Amino acid sequence: WRGSAGGRGCHRGFVTILVSLGLFGGSNGARILTAVVFVLNIAGSVYLMITEPAQLWSAVGSAVLPLIGLLLLFTARANSFFR
């Protein structure tokens, strides 16, 4: 699998599972990592909105879910869970 697309996908899947287990276990590090990924996704969508006006609605759609996820990660209930 070394160097193949399948190998990289396998590694990404493994990292995703580890981060999700960290989130379910209340790991603040996993929450911060997830928040950083969400912010990068939103930033990429904003960049696309600015540079490719024809892709505006696609970029807006791509930003909605990470924005919702980011908001949910830092609600009062989530903050008490991650303490």
Side-chain angles (χ1 to χ4, degrees), residues 15-64:
V15 170
T16 301
I17 290 170
L18 288 178
V19 172
S20 68
L21 290 174
L23 286 172
F24 286 119
S27 167
N28 207 35
R31 178 166 80 151
I32 291 169
L33 180 62
T34 303
V36 167
V37 170
F38 284 160
V39 167
L40 290 174
N41 279 320
I42 294 166
S45 294
V46 169
Y47 176 77
L48 186 61
M49 288 178 207
I50 294 167
T51 60
E52 298 291 334
Q55 299 295 322
L56 176 68
W57 292 111
S58 176
V60 168
S62 295
V64 169

Side-chain angles (χ1 to χ4, degrees), residues 54-81:
Q55 299 295 322
L56 176 68
W57 292 111
S58 176
V60 168
S62 295
V64 169
L65 289 178
L67 181 60
I68 292 170
L70 194 59
L71 293 172
L72 290 175
L73 273 176
F74 293 98
T75 62
R77 188 171 176 187
N79 287 338
S80 66
F81 176 75

